[in-house]
Amino acid sequence: MTVRRLQRGFTLVEIVVTLAVLALIMFAVAPNIGTWLANTRVRNIADSLQNGLQTARAEAIRRNQSMSFWLVQTDDPGVLGNECTLASNSGSWVVSVNSPVAHCADQPSTTSSPMLVAGRAMGNGQPVTVAALQSDKTTAANSITFDGFGRVSSTSPIGFIDVSGTGTRNLRIEISTAGAVRLCDPAVSSENDPRKCL
């Protein structure tokens, strides 16, 4: 009785064919991956801004005192530093009682001005455009203040924040005078679609 040895492994031809098929698949999906990554970046910044607004409103209600959400710009978009200034075109934000200018990196405090609650840097990466506007959709705004009931109490508050990127789906955050914060898609036109902006 003869025993045959089984060959194990792959032949060179099988490996080359497999690599060629994988290369074709990667070539076909590469443009879609780029668009997906850009859309994800826009979505992450929009979600971050929405969370910051909701944090400011919730803290105002919890503490029963006015609380503000501020859009700030720093020298390094990946880090909240104390060189921050107010800006209507930045995805970085701070929630505090008083203006956080030059104090964005302070520790949260209920006694030391600016009485910082939370903050988040926009982060580095693909370029994303942020534009915060008052309710008239033309005048730039960089802050909004909520009162102890969660309603908007500032005189020239942010009414909309548009977040967009090159070749991506744009998103908008809407803030009502009652303080409700909503993320929507300005490209949606169907009246029955809950993603439609007001």
Side-chain angles (χ1 to χ4, degrees), residues 11-91:
T11 66
L12 183 58
V13 172
E14 291 171 329
I15 292 172
V16 169
V17 168
T18 302
L19 290 176
V21 169
L22 284 175
L24 286 172
I25 291 171
M26 291 303 292
F27 182 73
V29 299
N32 293 334
I33 290 174
T35 301
W36 177 78
L37 289 172
N39 282 334
T40 299
R41 176 87 172 132
V42 167
R43 181 63 186 223
N44 287 343
I45 290 175
D47 282 342
S48 171
L49 292 167
Q50 182 183 26
N51 289 337
L53 287 159
Q54 290 172 335
T55 297
R57 184 171 188 241
E59 279 297 308
I61 294 168
R62 188 178 74 80
R63 296 182 185 194
N64 194 25
Q65 77 175 98
S66 293
M67 187 65 62
S68 297
F69 170 88
W70 312 83
L71 289 174
V72 296
Q73 191 162 13
T74 59
D75 292 342
D76 179 0
V79 178
L80 276 179
N82 282 333
E83 77 289 347
C84 63
T85 58
L86 299 180
S88 62
N89 61 350
S90 175

Side-chain angles (χ1 to χ4, degrees), residues 16-18 27 38 58 91 97 99-100 102 108 114-115 121 137 141 152-153 162 179:
V16 169
V17 168
T18 302
F27 182 73
V97 174
S99 172
M115 293 188 240
K137 296 185 183 177
V152 176
S153 64
D162 287 325

Side-chain angles (χ1 to χ4, degrees), residues 82-157:
N82 282 333
E83 77 289 347
C84 63
T85 58
L86 299 180
S88 62
N89 61 350
S90 175
S92 299
W93 56 268
V94 171
V95 173
S96 63
V97 174
N98 302 314
S99 172
V101 172
H103 293 282
C104 292
D106 288 4
Q107 293 297 316
S109 171
T110 57
T111 56
S112 301
S113 189
M115 293 188 240
L116 193 76
V117 174
R120 183 171 217 176
M122 180 174 175
N124 297 318
Q126 295 176 342
V128 173
T129 303
V130 175
L133 304 170
Q134 294 179 18
S135 298
D136 63 7
K137 296 185 183 177
T138 57
T139 309
N142 54 34
S143 67
I144 184 169
T145 302
F146 298 96
D147 65 16
F149 294 106
R151 297 178 300 212
V152 176
S153 64
S154 46
T155 54
S156 302

